[in-house]
Amino acid sequence: MDYTAIQDYLEQLVPPRPPELAAMERYAAEHDFPIIGPVAGQLCYQTARLIGAQRVYELGSGYGYSTAWFARAVQEAGGGEVHHVVWDEALSAMAQRHLAALGYGDIVRYHVGEAVAALRATDGPFDVIFMDIDKQGYPDALEVIDARLRPGGVLIVDNVLWSGKIADDNANDATTAAIRRMNDTLARDKRYVTTIAPVRDGVLVAQKK
Ligand SMILES: C[S@@+](CC[C@H](N)C(=O)[O-])C[C@H]1O[C@@H](n2cnc3c(N)ncnc32)[C@H](O)[C@@H]1O
């Protein structure tokens, strides 16, 4: 089975995006910027929508592509807030332009700084927390995420298959080991219902009971 062909198949099933979001996808392709892409975006949007999410916190937001998918769900749920967090001023400014153009200006709150520290400094509870920071930071972020996620809320984490290295016994670099540790922790934690969807680079969805 050809994994790329399957991902291409899934992608063409995602409904057409607004021109601004499509432009953000083109920018990522042209500049090799790692966005979640449309299939994982649709999964994030659907998950947030399923629980009527009105408070979403993103760790590692880039120029706002994943933010846009969450903001759409929150807007459809009647409004609320999506926290955009990145440590790069220029990316935050870019995100502000894109998300205003998409009509989410009144929903998104912007923080420039280290994402886990920013979450620690923000009051919960959140309906959805999405993590896409530097992967070695994944395991240590779980404690504050758990403290800020409401019961019934959902944690979504990107890149949990790490280009397949996660299943390669010979891959023992620090980043792969960190992702493996987080996946194992959540899969074994009886307080969460956890599934990894093999969408693009792997999306973990964990609902807190
Ligand atoms: C993979 S990209 C995010 C893409 C975004 N989630 C999307 O799909 O549109 C991760 C971004 O978060 C930033 N980042 C990584 N670790 C971070 C951290 N601990 N705190 C704040 N920003 C971080 C990176 O510099 C990069 O801009």
Side-chain angles (χ1 to χ4, degrees):
M1 224 185 306
D2 179 343
Y3 191 76
T4 306
I6 289 171
Q7 299 302 317
D8 290 346
Y9 170 77
L10 296 177
E11 187 164 326
Q12 55 82 36
L13 289 177
V14 179
R17 275 77 71 200
E20 186 75 18
L21 203 58
M24 292 166 86
E25 290 171 7
R26 280 197 302 279
Y27 179 92
E30 284 160 12
H31 295 83
D32 207 16
F33 190 96
I35 59 168
I36 54 169
V39 184
Q42 177 87 354
L43 178 60
C44 289
Y45 162 63
Q46 182 172 22
T47 304
R49 214 174 181 285
L50 279 168
I51 62 163
Q54 294 194 297
R55 285 199 91 207
V56 176
Y57 201 96
E58 276 198 326
L59 301 120
S61 303
Y63 57 86
Y65 180 80
S66 52
T67 322
W69 287 95
F70 288 116
R72 180 177 168 201
V74 166
Q75 194 175 62
E76 289 175 6
E81 55 190 53
V82 179
H83 292 254
H84 175 286
V85 190
V86 75
W87 49 27
D88 185 311
E89 288 271 5
L91 287 174
S92 183
M94 236 172 119
Q96 290 181 42
R97 288 194 297 276
H98 285 304
L99 294 162
L102 283 161
Y104 304 133
D106 56 338
I107 288 176
V108 185
R109 312 277 179 269
Y110 295 92
H111 310 255
V112 176
E114 200 288 312
V116 181
L119 176 59
R120 210 168 269 128
T122 307
D123 287 338
F126 288 95
D127 302 305
V128 172
I129 298 181
F130 170 72
M131 178 152 70
D132 196 7
I133 55 173
D134 284 350
K135 312 311 163 196
Q136 290 194 35
Y138 277 5
D140 288 348
L142 290 182
E143 193 181 332
V144 65
I145 288 171
D146 181 60
R148 296 288 180 275
L149 195 63
R150 72 160 166 87
V154 180
L155 165 64
I156 305 174
V157 188
D158 194 30
N159 304 110
V160 300
L161 294 179
W162 207 229
S163 306
K165 281 191 181 178
I166 212 74
D168 177 353
D169 290 343
N170 295 317
N172 286 307
D173 58 281
T175 305
T176 306
I179 299 171
R180 230 177 243 144
R181 198 154 71 245
M182 183 202 61
N183 289 347
D184 288 348
T185 302
L186 284 167
R188 293 198 180 124
D189 190 332
K190 293 192 167 52
R191 298 168 308 145
Y192 284 83
V193 180
T194 299
T195 304
I196 291 175
V199 164
R200 209 183 53 92
D201 199 24
V203 179
L204 179 147
V205 180
Q207 185 174 34
K208 188 173 177 174
K209 291 181 186 167

